[in-house]
Amino acid sequence: MEMIEKYIYAVTHRLPQSQRADIAMELRGLIEDMLGERTNGGPVAQENVESVLLELGHPKDLAEKYRGSKRYLIGPELFHPYITVLKIVFFALLVAMSVVFVIESMIEPRSVVEHIFGYVTSVVSASMQAFVWVTVGFAIAQYKGVAPNAGIAEESEKWSPTDLPPVPDQKKQIKRGEAITGIFFSILFLVFLYSSNHVFGVMMFEEGELVNVIPFLNNERIEQFINIIYVITVIGILKEGLKLIIGKWTKKLALYNLILNALTLVLVAFLFKDQAIWNPDFMQELNQMSKADLNQDTYELIKTIWMQSKAWVVIGFTIVLVIDTVSGFYKAYLK
């Protein structure tokens, strides 16, 4: 019956992903057995189902019994997405910093020992900071009561099976891969922008070997705006983390998504409106290098892109964030 499926979803949605299928099967069998005892194999009425579910108890309490756990700094309901976010952040940091290390080593092979030391130090330092901030974020979420939203009033001492929300439509559910990709690119944005003088620019090759990178951005100016870049990254991780925790599009999540996207857009516009953030010598350096490495058509294409990039960066961010916001509201309001 539909009420049984609602109850099973309300319980299993609070459990780690790896346990949900097995516990759903076990719980479904238990409910069928309890109904069989009450009806002696006869027809099952609505009141029989309600009686069985009331005996099993609130979905939140039953989920805690399956977990065999009580209170933690980061509770069981958030622990699985917490570990997932940590893994994604660590992996993205490792990938991004490894790319920077390889490029730096190719440009300055004589300083490879220095690059290795800097690489290891940066990975350890960034990983420790990521661990602290992700843990603090999830601890705050735990304290505020943010949890996978099953739609039942958690504060109520009394509940009825008729209060169970419907199992969400597949179109409303958020795929983990979508949130994981968002977190991954947030980290890449931070590392690549911070290392813009090595990876974010036009790579110049000589006889098949990378000899120089002409950066798009002014690295000294980037360092002055590094706090804003950190905030943009944290907002991106927070947004995708909420998607992982809640697991489906709701009106509240769509509103959070709108607010965070709007804040991101404001910060990006503020960051890139400063003309000094762009490399003031870019075209001059490119012109010098292009005589040997670039044909005229390629040079003109890069020049055109460079002249328009300041506006298109903000336009590009705007398009992506508007699509993300509209898509969230559309899925949240699906019937």
Side-chain angles (χ1 to χ4, degrees):
M1 297 179 67
E2 183 182 4
M3 185 177 292
I4 296 176
E5 295 303 318
K6 291 180 180 179
Y7 185 83
I8 293 173
Y9 174 79
V11 173
T12 57
H13 193 65
R14 293 173 163 84
L15 301 173
Q17 186 79 28
S18 58
Q19 301 178 13
R20 293 178 185 177
D22 292 339
I23 291 179
M25 184 181 301
E26 177 184 335
L27 186 55
R28 190 174 288 107
L30 174 62
I31 293 173
E32 290 176 355
D33 292 342
M34 294 176 69
L35 286 173
E37 292 178 359
R38 275 173 168 71
T39 61
N40 294 320
V44 177
Q46 182 80 1
E47 53 267 25
N48 298 134
V49 175
E50 292 186 15
S51 175
V52 166
L53 298 185
L54 284 171
E55 182 177 341
L56 288 173
H58 196 291
K60 179 183 178 182
D61 298 331
L62 186 58
E64 287 183 355
K65 292 179 181 178
Y66 274 112
R67 285 192 304 259
S69 57
K70 294 296 181 182
R71 299 280 298 179
Y72 298 93
L73 176 65
I74 298 175
E77 293 180 355
L78 295 181
F79 188 74
H80 182 68
Y82 165 68
I83 293 297
T84 300
V85 170
L86 274 182
K87 289 179 179 178
I88 299 165
V89 170
F90 288 159
F91 179 73
L93 281 173
L94 184 62
V95 170
M97 291 184 172
S98 297
V99 171
V100 175
F101 166 72
V102 170
I103 294 176
E104 288 179 341
S105 300
M106 293 173 65
I107 296 175
E108 301 176 356
R110 295 180 180 179
S111 305
V112 65
V113 175
E114 181 180 343
H115 294 324
I116 292 175
F117 178 78
Y119 168 73
V120 173
T121 303
S122 297
V123 168
V124 172
S125 175
S127 298
M128 291 178 63
Q129 291 186 46
F131 174 78
V132 170
W133 286 111
V134 171
T135 302
V136 168
F138 273 85
I140 293 174
Q142 180 71 35
Y143 178 76
K144 294 295 185 179
V146 177
N149 184 11
I152 306 174
E154 305 289 356
E155 302 297 330
S156 177
E157 295 182 359
K158 296 182 179 180
W159 74 281
S160 170
T162 56
D163 296 331
L164 290 167
V167 178
D169 188 282
Q170 289 293 329
K171 294 179 181 179
K172 282 179 173 281
Q173 294 186 0
I174 300 172
K175 296 180 180 179
R176 293 176 72 247
E178 175 186 337
I180 289 172
T181 301
I183 294 174
F184 188 83
F185 278 101
S186 294
I187 297 297
L188 292 184
F189 169 81
L190 169 64
V191 176
F192 284 174
L193 209 59
Y194 188 70
S195 306
S196 59
N197 58 323
H198 293 124
V199 298
F200 195 54
V202 178
M203 298 183 181
M204 310 303 296
F205 293 87
E206 184 176 311
E207 297 180 356
E209 294 185 1
L210 179 63
V211 295
N212 191 22
V213 175
I214 303 176
F216 292 136
L217 302 176
N218 183 348
N219 196 56
E220 294 181 359
R221 196 64 172 171
I222 285 290
E223 292 180 357
Q224 297 177 12
F225 286 105
I226 194 62
N227 289 332
I228 294 179
I229 297 173
Y230 281 144
V231 172
I232 293 173
T233 304
V234 170
I235 290 174
I237 295 175
L238 173 62
K239 182 178 72 172
E240 303 303 331
L242 285 173
K243 293 179 182 179
L244 276 177
I245 293 172
I246 298 176
K248 65 178 181 179
W249 280 106
T250 63
K251 296 176 182 179
K252 183 178 290 187
L253 177 59
L255 180 60
Y256 289 155
N257 194 51
L258 168 64
I259 294 172
L260 294 175
N261 281 343
L263 183 57
T264 299
L265 184 58
V266 169
L267 292 176
V268 168
F270 177 78
L271 180 65
F272 285 99
K273 80 171 184 177
D274 187 347
Q275 299 299 310
I277 201 172
W278 301 96
N279 180 5
D281 302 321
F282 176 78
M283 291 308 303
Q284 180 180 351
E285 294 177 22
L286 182 64
N287 185 48
Q288 295 174 353
M289 298 295 296
S290 65
K291 296 176 181 178
D293 296 275
L294 296 177
N295 58 46
Q296 187 64 25
D297 291 339
T298 304
Y299 173 79
E300 291 298 331
L301 175 62
I302 295 176
K303 181 178 179 180
T304 301
I305 294 174
W306 173 251
M307 299 302 294
Q308 299 177 352
S309 59
K310 301 166 186 178
W312 278 106
V313 165
V314 178
I315 293 174
F317 266 96
T318 303
I319 292 174
V320 170
L321 294 178
V322 167
I323 291 175
D324 181 63
T325 302
V326 172
S327 174
F329 275 102
Y330 172 74
K331 293 176 181 178
Y333 281 86
L334 279 175
K335 298 297 183 181

